[in-house]
Amino acid sequence: MIIDRPTGSFDGADDASELSSLTATWGDLWADAEPAGDALRRAYPDRWLRFHTLPDGARPAADEDDRAEVRRRQQEVLSYLLRGEPSASLVAIAEDWGAPDGAAGWSAAALPARRAWRRGLPPDPTTGDTVGYFWADTAVRRDRADLLLELAATGDAHVVIAMPHLAWLLAPYDGGIDVFLIDPQRRESLRAYGARWLSPRPDGL
């Protein structure tokens, strides 16, 4: 495998066994979407919740008080998702791009132990987008997950965080947190728990 580290792209995926398991589980549960928040939201709107990390969906954080509030909400949602989970490592998936994209390399750099997982689908040629590359780390500790949340909040990383079973996915962005849950009861429980942070808009954005 040849890795173009400065751009975040790669020529071939890693054949590690843990990535094979990730591929199989993703195919079983989330086959209709790329592992990215916007794609998941389009494919699975019935599994989706969005929480704002600042009042009224404000972004970006304007001062240290705002940054503290963003961190508090991010960590509270992640802690809620981790309730009852075994103390196993988390999975983190980072979306990155090749050289033509100005943000290339940022997300991959956020996962020091990353492995090349899968290449994204060819983009619509009319949009000018570049193909995505998905890196994965299947042994992420909680402190690294918290750092990934902070990087996503400043737009410096595009990541999805999950447990290995992928029954829930957390996709932070620079204004909030998209959460996808397969279990409808758990989804409604989280909706009630974080109701004060939900968008008031009918479309949930």
Side-chain angles (χ1 to χ4, degrees):
M1 178 181 64
I2 300 173
I3 300 175
D4 185 0
R5 295 189 185 277
T7 68
S9 62
F10 50 80
D11 287 343
D14 198 305
D15 60 359
S17 60
E18 60 267 28
L19 294 186
S20 297
S21 177
L22 176 61
T23 298
T25 306
W26 189 273
D28 287 342
L29 301 178
W30 306 98
D32 292 339
E34 296 277 45
D38 55 347
L40 287 159
R41 179 167 50 82
R42 290 192 298 269
Y44 299 102
D46 56 326
R47 301 180 182 181
W48 167 64
L49 295 173
R50 170 166 286 187
F51 300 102
H52 289 163
T53 45
L54 286 173
D56 302 318
R59 66 168 97 171
D63 53 33
E64 186 52 43
D65 286 344
D66 276 359
R67 287 187 284 274
E69 180 64 14
V70 169
R71 286 192 297 271
R72 184 180 75 83
R73 295 189 188 190
Q74 288 178 327
Q75 293 178 15
E76 195 166 325
V77 170
L78 178 55
S79 293
Y80 187 91
L81 291 168
L82 290 173
R83 288 181 183 178
E85 296 282 11
S87 56
S89 297
L90 292 155
V91 172
I93 301 165
E95 182 181 16
D96 218 312
W97 294 271
D101 194 290
W106 292 0
S107 294
L111 291 181
R114 64 190 177 273
R115 292 176 182 268
W117 179 36
R118 56 185 272 182
R119 186 170 177 166
L121 297 174
D124 182 340
T126 65
T127 65
D129 293 341
T130 56
V131 67
Y133 296 83
F134 295 95
W135 301 83
D137 183 350
T138 57
V140 173
R141 293 163 51 103
R142 175 62 192 266
D143 56 350
R144 171 59 59 172
D146 288 340
L147 175 59
L148 293 173
L149 291 174
E150 291 189 34
L151 291 171
T154 56
D156 292 322
H158 297 266
V159 296
V160 170
I161 299 169
M163 289 295 291
H165 52 57
L166 304 185
W168 57 261
L169 308 172
L170 187 152
Y173 67 98
D174 63 345
I177 312 161
D178 287 334
V179 183
F180 304 86
L181 301 101
I182 291 176
D183 184 337
Q185 290 186 329
R186 195 164 189 209
R187 185 169 58 251
E188 292 311 307
S189 176
L190 178 58
R191 186 195 304 275
Y193 176 81
R196 61 202 183 280
W197 302 334
L198 292 171
S199 169
R201 291 174 40 155
D203 61 6
L205 293 172

